[in-house]
Amino acid sequence: MTSPIRALVRVRDVLPDQGSFPSRLHARRPAALLGAALGVTFSVCFVTGLFSHALQNPPGWTSLPPRPAGLYRVTQGLHVAAGIASIPLVLAKLWTVYPLFWIRPAVRSVAHAVERLALLPLVAGSVFLLFTGVVNVALWYAPLGFYFPAGHYWAAWITIGAIVVHVGAKATTIRTALFARSDPEPEAAGAGLSRRGFVGAAAAASGALVVATVGQTVGPLRRLSVLAPRRPDVGSQGLPVNRAAAEAGVVEAASDPAYALSVEGRGAARPFVLTLGELRAMPQHEATLPIACVEGWSASARWRGVRVRDLLERAGAPPGAEVRVESLEQGSRYRTSPLDAGQAADPDALLALALNGEDLNLDHGFPVRLIAPNRPGVQQTKWVSKVVVL
Ligand SMILES: Nc1nc2c(c(=O)[nH]1)N[C@H]1C(S)=C(S)[C@@H](COP(=O)(O)O)O[C@H]1N2
Ligand SMILES: [Mo]
């Protein structure tokens, strides 16, 4: 039982007999190739994930630029696409290396013990991240008994730590497997997949999954997005709806003819209240901006409404004021949204009244919604009732 395993960890990348793990795919080179591909996809996920986290939890020591307006659309599209691409790669990688989990002696030294212990957070973390990510993208929150962004975020740190340990421990093996002249691939006992064919198949599956979903954010590919839960062009007023007015319990409050927007707060020297008619009478500004949902879909739309900075000026807010926008919606995590000074001053930061040339409908946030550049969709609060100047 030991000989095929020893072949894996020792010098030659061949399996000398048809022992307990006969497949020639349990070898270092395919493992290293798949690992390298995963290194790329996980790095993309990690960096774009940190950016998304920073936008949603502003760090305080720095402000995040509202430009380029579509940046978050690109980074979050990449985040979800790279995560989806990783799924077949992880499965293939686990298949190539799983005999190593049975290696004996289980622990050879302290360093070996550390390296092997790091496999637990590595494998569990990777599977957890991909599973929770897919669950979130698929809008199927039921199986998650915790707040998704927090769980996903902390698991990412643990997993990245485990990856660093793993790559460090395997550096020599990886270098040899990738760059040294390798033995010729052994003939398969039966008609089996070659290593090259196996890695190619994993890459092809990965590419196919991406193509089947990336149209949720890359408009021209939308027809191919058979596996994406959203199509960017399908929804009322030509835009998907994330949470409808009825689900949010705001139908009555939002359609109340007595609706008024109030601009108030410590920073507002001259707080005021505007009816919908008065809001419509203010100077209107038009901007083309995307909704870029953390769940990976995004779509661009034409918005028209009142600039946040015009409201601040009217309220006598000091330059550099920060703002909290509040929704009529009650009891939701996403009922308020912060704008730092730069975001609030941006000429395209709007309280929008119209979408693609029509008055906003209830599901898109009637009477008024926030739309501003380079922000996650969750921060584009709908059914706005209050602008609080901080
Ligand atoms: N009040 C409120 N605003 C909200 C939400 C919400 O649940 N409640 N969902 C947000 C999310 S997650 C997204 S992606 C966008 C989607 O906007 P849309 O439904 O108009 O496309 O609205 C955001 N605004
Ligand atoms: Mo969203």
Side-chain angles (χ1 to χ4, degrees), residues 242 291-295 297 376-378:
N242 172 268
I291 293 269
C293 183
V294 295
E295 284 147 12
W297 66 270
V378 292

Side-chain angles (χ1 to χ4, degrees), residues 174-214:
I174 294 169
R175 210 174 312 122
T176 320
L178 288 182
F179 303 114
R181 258 179 54 108
S182 58
D183 297 324
E185 183 169 341
E187 288 296 322
L193 207 52
S194 70
R195 289 178 189 161
R196 187 168 299 187
F198 178 69
V199 173
S206 173
L209 273 185
V210 170
V211 168
T213 48
V214 81

Side-chain angles (χ1 to χ4, degrees), residues 141 230 236-237 239-244 248 250 291-295 297 299 303 326-330 332-336 355 360-365 369-371 376-384:
Y141 310 110
R230 308 273 198 198
S236 63
Q237 303 188 298
L239 187 71
V241 169
N242 172 268
R243 191 169 156 78
V250 296
I291 293 269
C293 183
V294 295
E295 284 147 12
W297 66 270
W303 306 92
E326 294 188 8
S327 172
L328 289 168
E329 186 182 3
Q330 297 300 315
S332 155
R333 223 178 256 278
Y334 302 121
R335 64 172 303 275
T336 74
L355 163 56
L360 277 183
N361 67 22
L362 264 179
D363 287 342
H364 283 300
R369 74 143 341 133
L370 175 65
I371 184 85
V378 292
Q379 296 181 324
Q380 313 281 30
T381 306
K382 304 195 273 192
W383 316 292
V384 170

Side-chain angles (χ1 to χ4, degrees), residues 82-173:
I84 287 171
S86 303
I87 296 169
L89 301 176
V90 164
L91 295 175
K93 169 97 187 183
L94 286 174
W95 169 253
T96 62
V97 299
Y98 84 86
L100 288 170
F101 291 118
W102 275 268
I103 198 169
R104 295 295 176 270
V107 169
R108 288 196 306 261
S109 64
V110 174
H112 187 227
V114 170
E115 182 241 302
R116 300 211 82 201
L117 270 179
L119 293 176
L120 187 68
L122 178 67
V123 175
S126 304
V127 170
F128 176 87
L129 286 170
L130 296 179
F131 177 75
T132 56
V134 166
V135 162
N136 191 257
V137 168
L139 319 172
W140 176 49
Y141 310 110
L144 303 184
F146 55 88
Y147 178 48
F148 166 76
H152 200 71
Y153 175 73
W154 287 111
W157 279 105
I158 294 167
T159 310
I160 281 290
I163 289 175
V164 169
V165 171
H166 180 70
V167 171
K170 296 283 187 189
T172 313
T173 312

